[in-house]
Amino acid sequence: MEEFATQYGLQKAPGVELYSDDGSDYQLITQQPIGAGQTCLYVPSDIVISSEKAYQEFGNEIQQAEQVLVQIDQGTAQRLPLFRLMVKILAEYDQGENSAFFPWLNSLPRVYYNGVSMTNDCFSCLPPYAGWLTSTEKANYDSFVTALRQGYVQLQSVNDDTVTQWAYNVALTRFQEVWSPQRAKLIAPMADMLNHSAEPNCEITFDDMGNCEVTAMYDIQPGTPLTISYGDPTNPTPIFAQFGFLPADCATLFCKAMHLEPYIKELGIEFRELLIQTETGEIAPKVWDLFLYEILVNNDPGAAEAYFVAVKCNDEATKQQYQDQYFQYTLDSMKQHVYSILSDVDTLTAKAQNYDLNTHPRVP
């Protein structure tokens, strides 16, 4: 893998090397100190896989496949760059050892544990928010495969479920997104082997030519893994759906109030704002807003309207008046919700333990 990358012009800071605990899952680590702002890794555009370059390479074939994809599900129009990466990876896989990317492809994991790798029974063992995100990812994969199997893009392995799922997961878990000079998803071999941290020590950037640079955000000591952030560390569930793990260093969790989704949308609240601190138990302000709003809607529509306006206008004084008045009711509602979650966890755990891992290897 390193010989392949170096052959095409990859450059590393002294001491940066690949490391693996098990011989199959690799990460980058430095054995020498790296100063803040120093380039840890440089990957030339020649070996960067780009959704835009894939679109140009496959031309009319991929355009026709994308038309089918959007007809299947209009929501996939926002994910066409990912579709193009998947096509490129399948095309290189079909070439086997004749592919210039063979050393890189051959170094990648063969097993993934994210939403795409789950069964419907796996989804049923997850809390609602996690179940929704993971099943949505699986549905997206199904749409991609259906479009590809129409035959517009000539791919030998397109009917092999194991290979198509692997190719989708490679694209899904290894891309970086850029928005200039146009929106694109890119995979830079070697740079894609940085692991996740809630407190990353590196950042990945691409110049307008598509060259990739991994830069130290602060001084990095010898023996330290090079890391980036895979997503919002305060909202780990999307990371679980995409990458198949929950960060061990995450200090918050989603309040799991999916039964209140209509009110979440009405109030314009983002899921990442509905968090509870795992160590202190501190509840985010938007969680209080949500549960109080539900109480008011069900008991005092006039007050609900006034509180809705206060939330939208960031009128903290009015919000505080209602929160003080209905504090005990809101607290009791949240307690009841937490107790129901604990009960659901026990039920889901018992359900998961009844499944055969040979049939459902990704059951939680």
Side-chain angles (χ1 to χ4, degrees), residues 106-139:
N106 198 42
S107 72
L108 300 180
R110 294 297 187 265
V111 178
Y112 292 82
Y113 298 98
N114 56 7
V116 181
S117 306
M118 296 183 184
T119 65
N120 289 334
D121 288 324
C122 294
F123 301 140
S124 70
C125 295
L126 292 170
Y129 182 42
W132 171 61
L133 286 177
T134 52
S135 61
T136 298
E137 200 62 68
K138 183 64 172 289

Side-chain angles (χ1 to χ4, degrees), residues 25-45:
D25 188 13
Y26 289 89
Q27 62 176 314
L28 285 174
I29 191 170
T30 180
Q31 301 296 357
Q32 295 187 29
I34 298 177
Q38 183 178 343
T39 298
C40 305
L41 195 69
Y42 172 83
V43 185
S45 61

Side-chain angles (χ1 to χ4, degrees), residues 35-328:
Q38 183 178 343
T39 298
C40 305
L41 195 69
Y42 172 83
V43 185
S45 61
D46 289 347
I47 56 171
V48 172
I49 296 177
S50 161
S51 59
E52 281 303 301
K53 287 194 288 189
Y55 184 71
Q56 296 168 10
E57 177 181 347
F58 294 98
N60 186 57
E61 292 182 4
I62 203 168
Q63 291 178 34
Q64 290 179 294
E66 290 180 356
Q67 289 174 5
V68 172
L69 178 60
V70 175
Q71 288 174 359
I72 294 171
D73 181 358
Q74 291 187 351
T76 57
Q78 299 299 316
R79 307 198 76 179
L80 292 181
L82 182 66
F83 181 72
R84 296 165 187 172
L85 286 183
M86 179 184 178
V87 169
K88 176 62 175 174
I89 291 165
L90 284 171
E92 295 299 330
Y93 175 88
D94 286 347
Q95 294 183 49
E97 294 186 17
N98 293 323
S99 167
F101 291 97
F102 176 79
W104 171 68
L105 292 172
N106 198 42
S107 72
L108 300 180
R110 294 297 187 265
V111 178
Y112 292 82
Y113 298 98
N114 56 7
V116 181
S117 306
M118 296 183 184
T119 65
N120 289 334
D121 288 324
C122 294
F123 301 140
S124 70
C125 295
L126 292 170
Y129 182 42
W132 171 61
L133 286 177
T134 52
S135 61
T136 298
E137 200 62 68
K138 183 64 172 289
N140 190 76
Y141 161 75
D142 289 340
S143 296
F144 278 24
V145 170
T146 299
L148 284 176
R149 288 178 178 169
Q150 302 307 305
Y152 292 111
V153 183
Q154 299 303 305
L155 297 166
Q156 300 171 16
S157 55
V158 72
N159 291 311
D160 187 326
D161 291 336
T162 300
V163 175
T164 55
Q165 188 176 102
W166 172 80
Y168 182 93
N169 275 326
V170 169
L172 179 68
T173 60
R174 311 191 90 79
F175 76 83
Q176 297 288 321
E177 191 157 37
V178 299
W179 298 90
S180 177
Q182 67 270 327
R183 183 191 176 210
K185 285 182 166 62
L186 307 102
I187 302 176
M190 191 75 83
D192 65 325
M193 294 184 177
L194 274 73
N195 277 348
H196 166 80
S197 173
E199 297 180 354
N201 54 28
C202 292
E203 62 177 352
I204 297 178
T205 57
F206 292 85
D207 63 24
D208 289 347
M209 300 299 293
N211 300 302
C212 172
E213 188 171 7
V214 179
T215 308
M217 298 171 65
Y218 50 83
D219 292 345
I220 304 175
Q221 299 305 311
T224 304
L226 304 184
T227 59
I228 57 172
S229 173
Y230 286 6
D232 184 352
T234 65
N235 184 19
T237 310
I239 296 176
F240 171 74
Q242 182 176 355
F243 296 96
F245 70 92
L246 284 171
D249 54 0
C250 183
T252 57
L253 54 82
F254 176 60
C255 72
K256 296 177 173 58
M258 289 299 288
H259 64 294
L260 301 179
E261 186 175 7
Y263 299 141
I264 294 173
K265 292 180 177 179
E266 190 175 344
L267 291 171
I269 298 174
E270 301 286 343
F271 286 125
R272 59 184 173 81
E273 297 177 296
L274 297 171
L275 303 172
I276 298 174
Q277 293 285 333
T278 56
E279 294 182 359
T280 65
E282 182 181 351
I283 299 170
K286 294 296 184 181
V287 178
W288 288 98
D289 286 342
L290 177 63
F291 278 83
L292 175 52
Y293 185 62
E294 181 206 17
I295 292 170
L296 295 176
V297 167
N298 292 329
N299 295 279
D300 189 340
E305 176 63 24
Y307 193 75
F308 174 82
V309 172
V311 170
K312 288 293 188 180
C313 296
N314 295 316
D315 183 351
E316 296 299 329
T318 300
K319 283 174 55 179
Q320 191 62 53
Q321 291 177 6
Y322 281 101
Q323 289 169 0
D324 291 343
Q325 182 178 351
Y326 291 93
F327 172 77
Q328 192 60 51

